[in-house]
């Protein structure tokens, strides 16, 4: 790949890294008994659904390749992930017509918001592995959301629930000054920009 090709994949104000920096708020959860982990699909659905870890691990998986961009100005190109497509998870629920937004709920009360159309993109998925290895606890084990077209804080680590909503509401970082949407190509880092 030429330098020009690489440069065209890096949003303004970002710098490339070959590492995978670890950034989060609070303590890292460590799971010892996976029977205690599940994923809930709730809110504006005909019926709430709970998917156990054992059930989640039996879902069909795909390989996804993307670039990721952190609000702290690093970008990492050519990430290869293994995960479950959003479309696969959506087969388990029937949305009510007023559902327009998603709130992702993670461990320790952490949340982030997304428009429904961004959650449903075929590039968004539930990640289990990164570059051939299971996610580490620091990177979101057992399951993290990946929404690669937005800043990486929208890719919630330690995912536990997807709440479908009629209205947008700020999540943890959005309440603390981050932009409500987070498009890296528009440098939507903070709410005052």
């Amino acid at each position: 790949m030429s330098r020009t090709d690489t440069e065209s994949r890096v949003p303004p104000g970002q710098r490339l890294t070959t590492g995978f920096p670890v950034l989060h708020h609070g303590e890292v959860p460590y799971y010892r008994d996976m029977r205690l982990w599940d994923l809930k699909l709730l809110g504006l659905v005909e019926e709430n659904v709970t998917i156990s870890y054992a059930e989640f691990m039996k879902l069909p998986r795909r390989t996804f390749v993307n670039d990721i961009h952190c609000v702290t100005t690093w970008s990492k190109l050519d990430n290869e992930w293994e995960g479950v497509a959003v479309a696969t998870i959506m087969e388990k629920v029937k949305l009510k017509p007023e559902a327009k937004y998603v709130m992702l709920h993670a461990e320790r009360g952490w949340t982030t918001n997304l428009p429904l159309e961004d959650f449903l993109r075929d590039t968004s998925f539930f990640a289990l592995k990164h570059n051939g290895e299971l996610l580490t606890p620091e990177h979101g084990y057992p399951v993290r959301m990946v929404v690669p077209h937005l800043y990486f804080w929208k890719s919630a680590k330690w995912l536990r629930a997807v709440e479908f909503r009629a209205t947008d509401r700020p999540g943890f970082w959005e309440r603390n000054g981050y932009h409500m949407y987070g498009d890296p190509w528009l440098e939507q880092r903070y709410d005052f920009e």
Side-chain angles (χ1 to χ4, degrees):
M1 180 179 305
S2 74
R3 180 171 165 78
T4 304
D5 290 341
T6 299
E7 287 174 349
S8 71
R9 293 167 56 192
V10 179
Q14 298 289 111
R15 60 180 166 63
L16 286 177
T17 184
T18 55
F20 196 177
V22 175
L23 303 166
H24 57 264
H25 176 78
E27 296 178 16
V28 174
Y30 292 90
Y31 298 91
R32 291 174 184 25
D33 184 352
M34 295 314 295
R35 292 173 298 180
L36 301 177
W37 184 92
D38 57 31
L39 179 68
K40 295 180 180 358
L41 308 173
L42 49 89
L44 293 175
V45 292
E46 293 297 329
E47 185 176 335
N48 290 348
V49 172
T50 300
I51 305 168
S52 72
Y53 180 74
E55 292 166 333
F56 195 93
M57 295 307 288
K58 290 177 185 172
L59 294 172
R61 299 183 197 178
R62 283 183 35 204
T63 298
F64 299 82
V65 178
N66 62 36
D67 301 335
I68 54 179
H69 311 291
C70 182
V71 71
T72 62
T73 72
W74 60 263
S75 291
K76 182 173 175 55
L77 305 182
D78 300 317
N79 298 274
E80 183 176 296
W81 305 85
E82 182 179 308
V84 176
V86 168
T88 300
I89 297 296
M90 293 305 293
E91 292 171 2
K92 302 198 169 290
V93 293
K94 182 175 181 190
L95 288 182
K96 293 183 177 179
E98 58 268 29
K100 304 289 184 232
Y101 294 92
V102 167
M103 183 68 75
L104 301 175
H105 295 267
E107 292 290 356
R108 312 287 195 255
W110 195 87
T111 54
T112 194
N113 62 310
L114 294 168
L116 179 62
E117 63 191 46
D118 292 276
F119 175 75
L120 294 177
R121 279 194 186 192
D122 61 4
T123 55
S124 299
F125 59 94
F126 299 84
L128 297 164
K129 291 185 176 183
H130 180 260
N131 290 342
E133 302 289 330
L134 277 177
L135 292 175
T136 63
E138 293 76 17
H139 285 294
Y141 175 86
V143 176
R144 102 175 278 160
M145 188 77 216
V146 177
V147 184
H149 67 281
L150 299 177
Y151 280 122
F152 209 43
W153 91 80
K154 296 291 188 174
S155 295
K157 298 179 184 181
W158 316 303
L159 195 61
R160 294 304 303 271
V162 179
E163 176 191 3
F164 299 93
R165 302 176 44 83
T167 58
D168 201 6
R169 187 181 83 204
F172 175 84
W173 286 114
E174 296 82 13
R175 286 191 313 271
N176 287 284
Y178 281 37
H179 197 276
M180 283 291 283
Y181 186 65
D183 183 335
W185 295 96
L186 298 177
E187 295 191 82
Q188 293 177 331
R189 290 182 171 87
Y190 307 107
D191 69 351
F192 51 83
E193 292 182 343

